[in-house]
Amino acid sequence: MKRLNFSILVCAILGASAIQAAELAEIQARKEVKIGVRMSLYPFSKQNEDGSFEGFEVEFAKKLGNAILKDGGNVILVGVNAKQRIEKLQNGEIDIAVASLAKSPDREKLIDFSTPYFSYSDAVLTHKDNKISSLKDMKDEKILAVPGTTSYKFLNEQNFDVIDCKNAPDCFERLKAGEAKFYAQMNTQIAAFPLVDDNYVMGLRKLGSDHFISVGIPKNTPILKQFINDQIVKFSKDGMFKKAYDDVFEPYYRGTLDRKYFLLDGIYDMLF
């Protein structure tokens, strides 16, 4: 029995070590890069019925993929949800993730992160009749949140009564159905719903600390990471993020969210 267990252990170790993250040269040699993007997080990214993707991060992912392949290969977009992003990076299903992935100490133990390209804070949506001014006003109430998101993690750490929901549309429908009094997620998601239904408002515009969205990169791929960092700065200087924001975010939010609070291109213009 001991020999059998030892054999199983050896096989497990060898199997785990066989999953190697692809470095830049390997990706370029196979002329294919697989990029994880969110399936239901518009205006960042969404998957249409025909399987195509659209959104702010989709345009960024395509441009980044073409830069990696020097416009000589196949950029494959792979749909992921919040819980799958890191797992798919670790097991090699995707080479990088452009999937609204916020950098955090816990996540840094599992994967690497690029220079950030976007910032956000979490917020709370509620019916306009619910008056809240701080976290303590929510303490004994149910709160909807999506597993794998920063708001979900924060609320659980603060011992709130959190109800799992699948994505932003699902959370909003369940909020309206009365399953919970509040729904927490990134402010870029929360801000859209009052435009659809003015019975709902951002009760709290900031939940926890600010977050910085980066490209998710597998561990032990320093050349790939440096290349992506350089491209983000280049794209910023070329006005790519501003154009993407003007083309996607501005029409979606109808001017309710100012780009200066989210895009980081001004910082890169000053530093580089």
Side-chain angles (χ1 to χ4, degrees):
M1 181 64 70
K2 288 183 179 180
R3 289 182 181 178
L4 177 61
N5 288 340
F6 179 76
S7 298
I8 293 173
L9 178 61
V10 170
C11 290
I13 292 171
L14 290 175
S17 63
I19 302 174
Q20 296 290 335
E23 254 292 13
L24 179 63
E26 182 185 338
I27 295 171
Q28 292 173 336
R30 65 167 131 93
K31 297 183 178 181
E32 178 181 282
V33 60
K34 296 170 290 185
I35 305 178
V37 293
R38 294 291 291 272
M39 293 182 290
S40 182
L41 196 69
Y42 198 78
F44 284 92
S45 175
K46 73 172 181 179
Q47 189 168 27
N48 300 314
E49 291 184 3
D50 63 1
S52 64
F53 292 90
E54 63 175 299
F56 173 79
E57 288 185 322
V58 172
E59 297 309 310
F60 173 35
K62 289 177 180 177
K63 190 172 179 67
L64 182 57
N66 284 322
I68 289 172
L69 298 176
K70 302 178 182 178
D71 294 316
N74 189 20
V75 178
I76 299 175
L77 300 182
V78 179
V80 298
N81 61 33
K83 294 180 71 175
Q84 296 171 331
R85 298 170 292 183
I86 292 176
E87 176 186 343
K88 287 183 180 291
L89 271 174
Q90 290 180 306
N91 66 23
E93 289 185 62
I94 56 177
D95 297 305
I96 60 175
V98 181
S100 302
L101 192 51
K103 185 176 181 179
S104 73
D106 287 343
R107 289 173 176 173
E108 283 185 292
K109 297 174 184 176
L110 304 173
I111 61 172
D112 280 342
F113 290 86
S114 73
T115 295
Y117 58 87
F118 202 90
S119 66
Y120 75 93
S121 60
D122 290 312
V124 176
L125 188 74
T126 189
H127 194 276
K128 64 183 180 181
D129 292 340
N130 298 326
K131 307 301 181 184
I132 58 171
S133 58
S134 67
L135 280 176
K136 66 180 182 181
D137 297 325
M138 301 161 49
K139 199 62 184 176
D140 298 320
E141 303 290 346
K142 291 182 172 60
I143 307 171
L144 289 155
V146 179
T149 61
T150 51
S151 51
Y152 187 90
K153 182 175 184 294
F154 174 81
L155 291 168
N156 274 285
E157 288 175 346
Q158 300 296 318
N159 296 316
F160 282 93
D161 187 1
V162 183
I163 299 177
D164 294 9
C165 48
K166 294 186 297 185
N167 51 44
D170 178 54
C171 294
F172 186 50
E173 288 303 315
R174 292 169 65 177
L175 179 71
K176 291 192 296 182
E179 289 189 38
K181 200 170 182 178
F182 305 105
Y183 155 42
Q185 200 168 0
M186 57 199 302
N187 55 2
T188 51
Q189 288 295 294
I190 297 296
F193 292 112
L195 298 175
V196 177
D197 188 336
D198 60 9
N199 286 310
Y200 292 85
V201 297
M202 258 199 280
L204 285 183
R205 291 183 172 269
K206 188 173 174 103
L207 183 72
S209 58
D210 291 328
H211 306 288
F212 296 93
I213 297 178
S214 303
V215 177
I217 306 168
K219 287 286 190 184
N220 304 314
T221 55
I223 300 174
L224 177 62
K225 178 178 178 178
Q226 186 59 55
F227 181 86
I228 291 174
N229 286 344
D230 292 343
Q231 291 304 306
I232 289 173
V233 174
K234 180 180 182 298
F235 293 165
S236 177
K237 286 183 171 293
D238 291 345
M240 178 263 174
F241 292 114
K242 181 182 184 303
K243 183 180 186 306
Y245 186 92
D246 291 342
D247 291 347
V248 178
F249 278 87
E250 189 64 26
Y252 186 75
Y253 290 112
R254 305 172 202 170
T256 57
L257 291 179
D258 194 315
R259 63 181 292 276
K260 69 183 179 181
Y261 296 114
F262 304 103
L263 295 190
L264 302 172
D265 49 353
I267 295 175
Y268 299 136
D269 288 343
M270 290 187 296
L271 296 179
F272 297 97

